[in-house]
Amino acid sequence: IACTNQKGGVGKTTTAIHLAVGFADRGARVLLVDADPQGTVGQFLRLRSTQTLSDLMNGTDPRSVIQSGGRPNLDIVASTPAAFTLDTQLAGAVQRETILRRALAPLTDYDMVVVDTSPAMGLLTYNALLYATELVIPVSMEPMALTGARQTLDGVERIRSLWPEHPVGLLAVVPTAVNSGTHASRATLDVLQGDGRLSPSLCQGIRQCIDLTYAMAAGQSIWEYAPGSRGAFDYTALIDFTETRTPHG
């Protein structure tokens, strides 16, 4: 599952982490791959990584790059700003858009792999989209996030045309930072519901919840930090929604 949107600040990393932790809590063996050079996943989990995504993309054995996520059933491939240079480093690589897929192919003992992506449609994002078989697109309550979601689907259509043997489905469209009392949220939700490409995968979304911010700052999932919060309720509902639509479910 690639968690992606070509607009930044829409809750991609928060959603990717909670998908990974949520499924791991339910007994699935999960690998969380940080394909965003900002490296937020590792920061959240307080990881000190000597081997990272850059090493994996340059041919290091994946088993030496994977770290424990500090929770049962959860492993991590962390990233650092060193990954910003991968586009240049791998410019001449053969089939460079599928390096991640080939690197992770030997790993058959996971029920699910969740990939957090950068908003930039660069080499790492293309690798994520050509590895994933399903997409989760978080959409915050603003016009640019809608544009980013549509641009992401346009990019997926290009991938389908160039690599027709690689199927990519849309698992979930996740409204984030929803406040139904505001015009911006109501207008964005109306547009999502009326969009023929996005609406079939639209879930109920994640309401605004300050506890989500505090939980991420504390290095905890929302279920660990504030299990009775609306954020915990909404991310549980997202796990339920995606579980019924994935092979694992």
Side-chain angles (χ1 to χ4, degrees), residues 15-226:
T15 298
I17 287 170
H18 282 87
L19 282 171
V21 172
F23 276 104
D25 283 347
R26 294 188 180 190
R29 187 93 167 91
V30 182
L31 176 65
L32 175 57
V33 178
D34 190 353
D36 185 345
Q38 294 182 82
T40 308
V41 169
Q43 295 168 27
F44 163 75
L45 292 168
R46 308 294 197 265
L47 296 179
R48 293 185 179 274
S49 307
T50 56
Q51 303 273 0
T52 67
L53 180 72
S54 293
D55 300 290
L56 178 69
M57 296 288 286
N58 278 292
T60 299
D61 187 309
R63 292 173 183 83
S64 66
V65 176
I66 291 170
Q67 299 176 263
S68 169
R71 293 160 175 79
N73 302 318
L74 180 63
D75 288 339
I76 308 292
V77 173
S79 186
T80 66
F84 278 116
T85 64
L86 282 172
D87 276 43
T88 302
Q89 290 178 35
L90 301 173
V94 176
Q95 297 180 324
R96 65 180 193 148
E97 296 89 354
T98 58
I99 292 172
L100 183 65
R101 185 167 74 188
R102 287 179 278 124
L104 295 180
L107 304 178
T108 58
D109 51 349
Y110 291 101
D111 300 303
M112 177 178 295
V113 180
V114 178
V115 186
D116 183 31
T117 70
S118 163
M121 190 60 86
L123 176 64
L124 282 177
T125 300
Y126 268 106
N127 267 267
L129 296 180
L130 278 162
Y131 172 65
T133 56
E134 299 285 353
L135 303 182
V136 169
I137 303 181
V139 183
S140 59
M141 299 294 97
E142 54 180 314
M144 290 303 294
L146 277 168
T147 300
R150 289 166 170 160
Q151 289 173 341
T152 299
L153 290 183
D154 291 342
V156 170
E157 289 302 323
R158 290 194 294 273
I159 286 172
R160 286 171 175 158
S161 66
L162 292 170
W163 289 273
E165 75 284 358
H166 180 68
V168 186
L170 182 54
L171 180 62
V173 175
V174 186
T176 58
V178 176
N179 181 347
S180 58
T182 67
H183 172 73
S185 285
R186 292 194 301 270
T188 303
L189 290 172
D190 285 345
V191 173
L192 284 172
Q193 290 162 358
D195 188 296
R197 294 195 296 172
L198 297 170
S199 62
S201 302
L202 187 64
C203 69
Q204 74 174 33
I206 311 299
R207 290 169 290 177
Q208 282 185 343
C209 177
I210 191 64
D211 285 324
L212 279 168
T213 302
Y214 294 151
M216 293 293 287
Q220 295 180 299
S221 74
I222 190 62
W223 300 295
E224 294 163 325
Y225 184 85

